[in-house]
Amino acid sequence: MQYKRTMAGLALAAAAVVTLAGCSATSSASTGAGGGSDTDWKTATSAESAGGMDALVKAAKAEGKLNVIALPPTWANYGKIIDGFQKQYGITVSSANPNGSSADEVAAVKSQQGQDTAPDVLDLGNAVLQQNLGLLTDYKVANWDDIPTALKDEQGAWTRDYTGLMSIGYDSSKVKTAPKDLDDLLDPQYKGKVSIAGDPTQANQAASAVYLAALENGGSADDITEGVDYFGKLKAAGNWQNVLPTQATVASGETPVVVQWSYNNLAWGPAAGASGNKNWKTVVPKGDALGSYYAQAINKDAPHPAAARLWQEYIASPTAQNLYLQAGAFPATLAAMEKSGKVDQDALDAAGGAPKDYVELSDDQVTAAAKVLAAKWSSTMGS
């Protein structure tokens, strides 16, 4: 995700779970709940192929439950998106490990296989996605044509859903001069203040901070080594803070500077009201801006296969796509919604319009970057 602009146009409000436990047999509602006595929603590659949307809704309601994972309520408006799905279909959404990483999602799929607590659907960063395609199943939503070709798997194993920009969030009560780019964070005023959202070998958001550092320091999307070296310099300067930032740590002032997606920095600031940090500001670094679409996918062994497919339909609908936009995240179907007049124009205007000069690492570049991170991050950072 990359383009050049200030955050002034992005200053819009963001929205603002229960840990799954126990195990039992996989739901039996996947067969015969909607599209006829022999309908098996585990193998349905579209609603149309298994009796239509009405049949899918009926089967999903019969299952009555959907398991999601690693979806913080303030992340890209997932609180409102989950609430909207529950209200529209009367299906209970169980949200596990909301602060987990893409790697945690995959680990849950593997460790809970065959249990009714297993994740039905996944929201994955690209590196982890590419390494775990065998866990996914093909499904094409009804508005498949609204999703650009570059943002979906040809057979439907995954679809991109939203993107933001890598940004710097900072507490203006603790930082005297606003940073313009990552190099500014090497200044002594940032002593012990700079953190990223997780382990770059595990989490796409953290890895993207390294990608951006590479672009700013003579590296490239083809070789992110300079990005790892930058964080080594940050640690050597004493400015690195090895603390996982959360909305709570930002609100308390424990993590004064966080490099993460723009929609998360926005959601943790004044837009969050009493639970946010009124002094929190967000800056997209000058020069190359970095972004990365996250991908929606269905666990091939989803315990609630009809509900999983209905979730995909909901996520791709203008309703949910506009909820992403209202949080400052740009949805995959933005161009189609603009053309059809279904876009939330106020939210789009507040976000500064459709992204321009956008840059994102390709699948091959992400795979190469993951190898660099696996080889160098721990030895460089000592963790």
Side-chain angles (χ1 to χ4, degrees):
M1 313 171 187
Q2 293 148 321
Y3 58 103
K4 305 170 185 176
R5 60 196 179 111
T6 67
M7 287 302 296
L10 281 172
L12 71 164
V17 323
V18 179
T19 300
L20 298 175
C23 62
S24 62
T26 299
S27 170
S28 62
S30 61
T31 302
S37 59
D38 58 351
T39 298
D40 184 357
W41 286 99
K42 273 188 176 296
T43 61
T45 56
S46 68
E48 183 180 9
S49 71
M53 188 62 69
D54 288 345
L56 175 59
V57 172
K58 182 179 178 181
K61 286 185 173 181
E63 292 172 350
K65 187 176 178 182
L66 175 77
N67 298 337
V68 303
I69 184 170
L71 298 183
T74 59
W75 177 293
N77 236 354
Y78 266 118
K80 284 189 175 181
I81 290 171
I82 291 171
D83 186 55
F85 180 80
Q86 291 186 130
K87 287 182 178 178
Q88 183 165 338
Y89 297 111
I91 295 170
T92 300
V93 177
S94 293
S95 183
N97 193 9
N99 291 317
S101 67
S102 293
D104 291 331
E105 296 182 55
V106 169
V109 169
K110 293 177 178 178
S111 66
Q112 298 177 44
Q113 184 178 18
Q115 301 176 21
D116 70 356
T117 58
D120 288 303
V121 291
L122 302 168
D123 183 274
L124 298 171
N126 201 24
V128 174
L129 171 72
Q130 297 303 323
Q131 295 164 5
N132 293 281
L133 296 174
L135 300 179
L136 315 178
T137 191
D138 295 342
Y139 184 77
K140 295 183 179 181
V141 293
N143 63 333
W144 182 254
D145 290 343
D146 288 346
I147 303 171
T149 301
L151 300 182
K152 59 190 177 186
D153 173 68
E154 184 177 359
Q155 300 302 317
W158 50 264
T159 58
R160 312 292 191 204
D161 41 9
Y162 61 91
T163 186
L165 299 175
M166 193 49 48
S167 66
I168 303 170
Y170 69 98
D171 189 329
S172 60
S173 70
K174 298 180 181 297
V175 175
K176 295 179 180 179
T177 305
K180 297 182 178 65
D181 53 32
L182 296 187
D183 281 349
D184 285 350
L185 302 183
L186 295 170
D187 188 275
Q189 73 164 311
Y190 295 99
K191 198 83 168 179
K193 289 183 170 67
V194 183
S195 60
I196 61 176
D199 180 347
T201 68
Q202 302 284 316
N204 180 56
Q205 181 171 213
S208 294
V210 182
Y211 304 163
L212 178 60
L215 296 177
E216 285 195 9
N217 288 277
S220 69
D222 292 318
D223 185 357
I224 62 142
T225 302
E226 293 292 343
V228 178
D229 292 344
Y230 162 83
F231 278 97
K233 293 175 183 176
L234 193 74
K235 182 178 181 181
N239 295 3
W240 170 250
Q241 183 186 35
N242 193 23
V243 174
L244 178 67
T246 65
Q247 183 171 347
T249 65
V250 164
S252 69
E254 181 184 356
T255 52
V257 180
V258 181
V259 183
Q260 64 175 355
W261 296 127
S262 52
Y263 47 78
N264 289 329
N265 272 326
L266 288 168
W268 293 359
S275 60
N277 184 331
K278 67 180 181 179
N279 298 309
W280 195 251
K281 299 185 183 301
T282 306
V283 172
V284 171
K286 290 184 176 181
D288 287 327
L290 180 75
S292 177
Y293 277 91
Y294 282 78
Q296 282 290 324
I298 299 172
N299 175 5
K300 69 178 181 181
D301 295 317
H304 311 101
R309 284 157 174 78
L310 186 59
W311 172 259
Q312 301 301 302
E313 297 285 356
Y314 181 74
I315 286 294
S317 72
T319 297
Q321 295 276 292
N322 276 321
L323 285 171
Y324 286 135
L325 186 57
Q326 289 167 18
F330 294 97
T333 66
L334 179 57
M337 290 198 301
E338 285 187 286
K339 185 175 181 180
S340 67
K342 295 179 181 178
V343 71
D344 182 334
Q345 193 61 50
D346 288 342
L348 181 59
D349 291 344
K356 296 179 176 63
D357 301 321
Y358 176 85
V359 178
E360 180 173 359
L361 271 65
S362 68
D363 293 347
D364 289 344
Q365 289 168 336
V366 166
T367 299
K371 293 178 180 178
V372 172
L373 288 168
K376 294 200 63 176
W377 180 259
S378 181
S379 60
T380 299
M381 303 303 290
S383 59

